[in-house]
Amino acid sequence: MLLTTSESSTYSASEVAGRLQVDIRTGLKWTEAKYRSKIIGHNELNVNEEEPTWKKYIEQFKNPLILLLLGSALVSVIMKQYDDAVSITIAIIIVVTVAFIQEYRSEKSLEELKKLVPPECHCLREGQLDTFLARELVPGDVVYLNVGDRVPADVRLFEAIDLSIDESSFTGETEPGRKSTELILSSATNKDHTNMKNVAFMGTLVRCGNGKGIVVSTGERSEFGEVFKMMQAEEAPKTPLQKSMDILGAQLSFYSFLIIGVIMLLGWLQGKPLTEMFNISVSLAVAAIPEGLPIVVTVTLALGVMRMAKRNAIVKKLPTVETLGCVNVICSDKTGTLTKNEMTATIIITSDGYMADVTGAGYNDQGEIHIRNCNNVEMAKSNITNLLEIGAVCNNAYIQNGTLLGQPTEGALIAVAMKNGMYATAENYVRIQEYPFSSEQKMMAVKCIHKYNNNKEEIFFAKGALEMLLPQCTKYMFGTQTVPLTKQNEAEFLAEAYEIGRKGLRVLALAKGRSLQDLIYCGLVGITDPPRPLVRESIEMLMQSGVRVKMVTGDAQETAMAIANLIGIDTIHQQTLSGQEMDQLNEHQLDKVANNVSVFYRVTPRHKLAIVKSLQRTGNIVGMTGDGVNDGVALKKADIGIAMGKNGTDVCKEAADMILVNDDFHTIIAAIEEGKAIFYNIRNFVRFQLSTSIAALSLIALATLMGIANPLNAMQILWINIIMDGPPAQSLGVEPVDHDVLKQKPRNIIS
């Protein structure tokens, strides 16, 4: 009886209703819904119980260095040297507590995912539309969707009236997806969410229109639940610094046991008492371990965190600070990370050839319209105003205090009208009828009457794809006159649109007239999701310092390539790869090509995770940047996950290791600079501390071999390691950043 979400999109709505045994006119019966709920479970995401805090603390004692110190303390107790035992125990508690604080972070990303499941929904049961908790939904329920609703489960639509759903946080698409009810060929779905036009996904947001549908997947069986399960399954990897410290601990333990064994053997051969040799072995064990090292490392990392906070980068986990120093690949989401996720009109071309560039970004009036060189500026201004009036009137969006309510493309048209001083143009007209946009017609039109025109003449305003709008036009504006539209004119206008489209802009044609079959073509507006400031410069600096940047996006190839070229990502010497092509590759094949791909397009959260894992398998230290739910799993798995602070979802911010407060990609440069500097400082004071430990170890060993009394007991060595060596070592840890460090290649993690 049950269907997967992708399967449901390949069946007609009536077939889906039949398989789920529901009448879409009345919905399920309450008794049937309760029965299904018992079998399938509630529509919710269940977070596994975390290990208790005390258990995480106890796990810190598994460190080889700590075990060696514990053994030394035990020997001291057996030897009745209680002062040494107490000193060593205090040192152990300090070191373990510092390590615990350094590593501990409660996992909240899964909790944030749960919040995206709406608390309530509108559901039809036994012929009555009711509002109740979304967790009670089961496959087969009939739900109603309206503007502003968050979709409560995966829903196969059987009615969609001008329905557009914002799926950007899930698919990476900038534009809200236009929904329809037609079935999709199974070969076209292939788990590509952007192709499932007849499905509304759990957690996405209804931007405009309304619809009805049958619930096909709930809870962890939904597409959203798949992301949730992937995030649960993935463990955040240890940072290179943590790995280096683990290796150092294991090496010190090995050499310590070796030296202690040799010294005890030689002492035994010299005929020294066993109790005396145990006493010496405790001192040797304490001398071998630089107890002040974890404290100095933690303080240095904490100071680095504070410096980075001043540079708009919040680090959530101390060892992460240093990780950026060895990152050699950054996989970056496009929408909202490399670009602003704010559609903006950047170019205007009137039907008589006047061109203007538009400055400013976002849904506001900040910016200007600069007319390119022309002989008649006043005529150009008049025709541009005429063009922008069409875009403002044939529009269902509005902007309130910089916030867009409606479609991003329509918001861009209102914003450019505002930049031209046309704040309330639409209020001059009374709308009589609307012809909504559809995926087949690819155009929208409205029939209006001018409020202040006495003859009450009806006028149509239309916007849409040029190839769909031109056949409805019989004339075009040339200056102040209307001129018959010829085939040659049409070819010229199509060529203009093609050139704009090649630059990665979305092209909207605008027209008006007395009927929909007799429109007057007025011109084009080019709209784009503009790159963030300094993104191109940042990518150039990263490449110069040995860090490769790869774009990972849910967008189509043309859009991805255009933006990649705009921001300086190499698409000439590197390949592009789609999510569908990735599905045809096994792990080994993906590992072979992943390093040579600069743009991954049409990818899902599953693909993003596979890309990160593949790059890690081939020896890369991977940074991942993102802002949406679809980035959460990859952010968690990457060696360092970097989330956008302003516009990033709570899910991605919780899954990430670092948050860019100002959403500025350029901040990564400052973070890498800090990361590299911190590593060099840590390396300097590690060498200093180890030299002290080696000196103490050598002194005790030589004294033992020469038959001299043990010159240092455990308490004295602890005092030297923590109190006397700590401050000088710490001073090495706070050396100022050398700005030339950015030019150095990422360090080898083995170093």
Side-chain angles (χ1 to χ4, degrees):
M1 183 180 76
L2 293 180
L3 288 168
T4 65
T5 302
S6 56
E7 282 176 344
S8 71
S9 65
T10 64
Y11 292 104
S12 68
S14 59
E15 287 175 317
V16 172
R19 292 191 60 149
L20 292 174
Q21 299 172 18
V22 62
D23 184 341
I24 61 173
R25 294 167 298 180
T26 58
L28 291 174
K29 292 184 177 180
W30 283 94
T31 52
E32 175 64 18
K34 287 177 182 177
Y35 173 71
R36 294 186 184 189
S37 182
K38 283 182 182 178
I39 297 173
I40 298 165
H42 288 299
N43 177 34
E44 57 189 3
L45 306 174
N46 298 308
V47 178
N48 293 335
E49 285 294 321
E50 274 199 338
E51 285 186 347
T53 305
W54 64 266
K55 196 171 182 181
K56 291 183 177 182
Y57 186 82
I58 295 298
E59 283 181 358
Q60 300 298 323
F61 287 88
K62 293 179 181 178
N63 185 298
L65 291 178
I66 302 300
L67 291 173
L68 183 60
L69 280 175
L70 281 170
S72 302
L74 182 62
V75 170
S76 297
V77 171
I78 293 169
M79 301 294 296
K80 296 184 179 180
Q81 295 174 347
Y82 299 116
D83 53 348
D84 283 356
V86 170
S87 302
I88 295 169
T89 304
I90 291 171
I92 289 171
I93 291 171
I94 292 171
V95 171
V96 165
T97 303
V98 167
F100 171 72
I101 293 169
Q102 181 175 305
E103 290 188 14
Y104 176 74
R105 177 172 66 94
S106 58
E107 194 62 69
K108 294 181 181 176
S109 53
L110 297 173
E111 289 292 341
E112 293 301 334
L113 266 175
K114 286 184 70 176
K115 291 179 184 176
L116 289 181
V117 181
E120 292 187 335
C121 63
H122 309 294
C123 178
L124 184 70
R125 282 192 183 166
E126 296 185 3
Q128 296 293 318
L129 185 62
D130 204 350
T131 299
F132 53 81
L133 294 176
R135 73 187 294 270
E136 304 297 335
L137 283 178
V138 294
D141 265 325
V142 175
V143 296
Y144 286 45
L145 301 173
N146 297 300
V147 176
D149 286 351
R150 200 169 281 282
V151 181
D154 284 0
V155 176
R156 170 60 167 94
L157 299 165
F158 62 80
E159 183 178 301
I161 302 171
D162 196 23
L163 181 64
S164 291
I165 298 180
D166 183 353
E167 300 172 337
S168 60
S169 67
F170 190 52
T171 64
E173 284 276 12
T174 311
E175 280 287 298
R178 292 273 182 180
K179 294 299 180 179
S180 64
T181 59
E182 290 79 15
L183 62 85
I184 298 166
L185 294 174
S186 58
S187 59
T189 60
N190 199 34
K191 289 294 273 187
D192 186 347
H193 301 120
T194 54
N195 286 334
M196 297 185 205
K197 302 293 185 187
N198 55 15
V199 174
F201 299 106
M202 177 194 280
T204 55
L205 186 67
V206 179
R207 284 291 185 192
C208 69
N210 57 75
K212 300 174 186 176
I214 306 165
V215 172
V216 289
S217 298
T218 57
E220 294 182 14
R221 293 184 69 255
S222 67
E223 296 298 300
F224 202 75
E226 290 293 323
V227 176
F228 180 83
K229 284 190 286 188
M230 281 193 288
M231 193 171 284
Q232 270 193 324
E234 293 303 326
E235 287 292 329
K238 280 194 171 185
T239 69
L241 180 62
Q242 287 171 316
K243 292 175 184 175
S244 298
M245 296 298 282
D246 287 347
I247 292 168
L248 178 63
Q251 289 175 341
L252 285 175
S253 297
F254 173 75
Y255 291 124
S256 298
F257 277 119
L258 188 65
I259 293 168
I260 290 167
V262 170
I263 297 299
M264 288 192 71
L265 178 64
L266 290 173
W268 178 72
L269 291 173
Q270 290 175 351
K272 291 184 178 179
L274 198 59
T275 54
E276 183 184 339
M277 295 313 301
F278 268 120
N279 187 17
I280 291 170
S281 71
V282 170
S283 297
L284 284 169
V286 175
I289 300 169
E291 287 82 7
L293 183 59
I295 299 167
V296 176
V297 168
T298 300
V299 172
T300 301
L301 293 175
L303 291 171
V305 167
M306 291 167 65
R307 286 197 301 269
M308 288 173 73
K310 291 177 182 176
R311 301 175 81 168
N312 293 310
I314 303 298
V315 175
K316 298 166 64 180
K317 202 174 179 183
L318 287 182
T320 302
V321 183
E322 186 273 337
T323 304
L324 276 164
C326 42
V327 163
N328 57 1
V329 177
I330 291 179
C331 296
S332 181
D333 174 50
K334 179 188 78 69
T335 306
T337 305
L338 296 174
T339 63
K340 284 178 165 287
N341 197 15
E342 295 176 339
M343 297 301 282
T344 305
T346 57
I347 188 168
I348 299 169
I349 303 178
T350 63
S351 54
D352 49 357
Y354 293 116
M355 298 181 71
D357 298 305
V358 185
T359 63
Y363 306 117
N364 53 61
D365 61 354
Q366 304 300 307
E368 296 178 349
I369 298 173
H370 297 290
I371 298 169
R372 295 186 188 179
N373 296 332
C374 70
N375 298 325
N376 193 337
V377 175
E378 290 305 314
M379 179 63 69
K381 284 182 178 179
S382 174
N383 287 1
I384 287 170
T385 299
N386 180 47
L387 186 70
L388 296 182
E389 181 184 50
I390 299 169
V393 177
C394 185
N395 203 308
N396 286 324
Y398 62 97
I399 296 170
Q400 190 174 53
N401 300 324
T403 301
L404 171 67
L405 299 170
Q407 293 273 16
T409 301
E410 294 190 330
L413 291 175
I414 293 175
V416 71
M418 289 165 64
K419 290 169 187 175
N420 200 45
M422 301 163 65
Y423 283 86
T425 301
E427 294 179 11
N428 295 329
Y429 292 87
V430 177
R431 185 180 293 192
I432 301 170
Q433 189 175 357
E434 178 183 333
Y435 303 86
F437 179 96
S438 71
S439 54
E440 293 78 23
Q441 292 177 336
K442 293 184 180 177
M443 61 179 285
M444 172 192 172
V446 292
K447 181 165 66 173
C448 303
I449 294 175
H450 199 288
K451 282 183 182 179
Y452 310 110
N453 193 333
N454 293 328
N455 61 16
K456 302 298 180 184
E457 184 181 14
E458 293 179 352
I459 183 168
F460 290 82
F461 295 96
K463 72 174 189 296
L466 181 63
E467 65 272 18
M468 303 303 287
L469 197 65
L470 272 182
Q472 309 299 316
C473 299
T474 57
K475 308 177 190 69
Y476 73 97
M477 288 295 299
F478 190 85
T480 56
Q481 300 178 336
T482 57
V483 179
L485 185 67
T486 65
K487 292 293 182 184
Q488 183 179 346
N489 297 141
E490 287 187 17
E492 290 170 358
F493 296 144
L494 286 166
E496 285 177 345
Y498 176 74
E499 286 302 315
I500 298 173
R502 277 182 59 194
K503 297 174 183 175
L505 277 68
R506 181 172 185 180
V507 183
L508 272 184
L510 299 145
K512 65 179 181 179
R514 294 181 179 177
S515 81
L516 282 177
Q517 288 71 43
D518 185 26
L519 294 174
I520 302 164
Y521 173 68
C522 295
L524 300 168
V525 176
I527 298 171
T528 187
D529 181 9
R532 290 190 175 278
L534 300 176
V535 162
R536 187 181 181 91
E537 293 82 348
S538 301
I539 289 173
E540 285 177 2
M541 290 176 71
L542 287 168
M543 291 172 68
Q544 289 169 9
S545 65
V547 180
R548 290 168 291 148
V549 179
K550 298 178 184 291
M551 181 193 288
V552 183
T553 178
D555 267 333
Q557 184 179 21
E558 300 76 21
T559 307
M561 290 288 285
I563 295 295
N565 291 327
L566 192 63
I567 62 178
I569 290 178
D570 184 5
T571 57
I572 298 172
H573 305 98
Q574 296 272 295
Q575 304 171 30
T576 61
L577 193 68
S578 72
Q580 195 168 354
E581 289 168 337
M582 282 180 63
D583 289 333
Q584 311 304 315
L585 305 176
N586 58 36
E587 280 190 2
H588 179 67
Q589 291 169 325
L590 181 60
D591 292 350
K592 276 187 173 181
V593 301
N595 277 305
N596 299 318
V597 175
S598 62
V599 176
F600 295 90
Y601 62 95
R602 283 287 189 235
V603 294
T604 65
R606 179 170 50 85
H607 293 132
K608 292 187 178 186
L609 176 62
I611 292 163
V612 170
K613 283 183 170 180
S614 176
L615 291 168
Q616 288 174 331
R617 282 196 300 269
T618 51
N620 295 290
I621 302 298
V622 182
M624 174 77 198
T625 69
D627 69 328
V629 173
N630 60 332
D631 303 311
V633 187
L635 287 170
K636 183 178 179 182
K637 183 60 181 173
D639 294 284
I640 178 164
I642 305 166
M644 300 295 116
K646 281 184 181 177
N647 297 317
T649 60
D650 289 338
V651 175
C652 80
K653 283 188 274 192
E654 288 299 340
D657 303 295
M658 187 172 87
I659 299 170
L660 305 183
V661 176
N662 54 357
D663 283 12
D664 189 351
F665 189 83
H666 191 68
T667 305
I668 293 175
I669 301 294
I672 287 177
E673 186 179 75
E674 286 287 352
K676 288 185 176 181
I678 284 168
F679 168 73
Y680 292 121
N681 288 348
I682 288 175
R683 186 176 63 181
N684 289 339
F685 69 66
V686 164
R687 288 173 176 172
F688 172 79
Q689 289 246 288
L690 287 179
S691 66
T692 308
S693 294
I694 291 168
L697 199 63
S698 303
L699 178 63
I700 296 169
L702 286 171
T704 304
L705 293 174
M706 294 172 67
I708 303 171
N710 188 5
L712 295 170
N713 61 31
M715 190 180 294
Q716 290 169 331
I717 295 168
L718 286 171
W719 183 269
I720 292 169
N721 282 352
I722 297 176
I723 306 301
M724 293 179 64
D725 287 350
Q730 190 62 69
S731 66
L732 291 172
V734 294
E735 284 285 305
V737 175
D738 180 1
H739 293 289
D740 286 337
V741 79
L742 191 60
K743 298 176 184 176
Q744 298 180 25
K745 301 295 180 187
R747 74 175 179 87
N748 189 321
I749 58 169
I750 299 171
S751 64

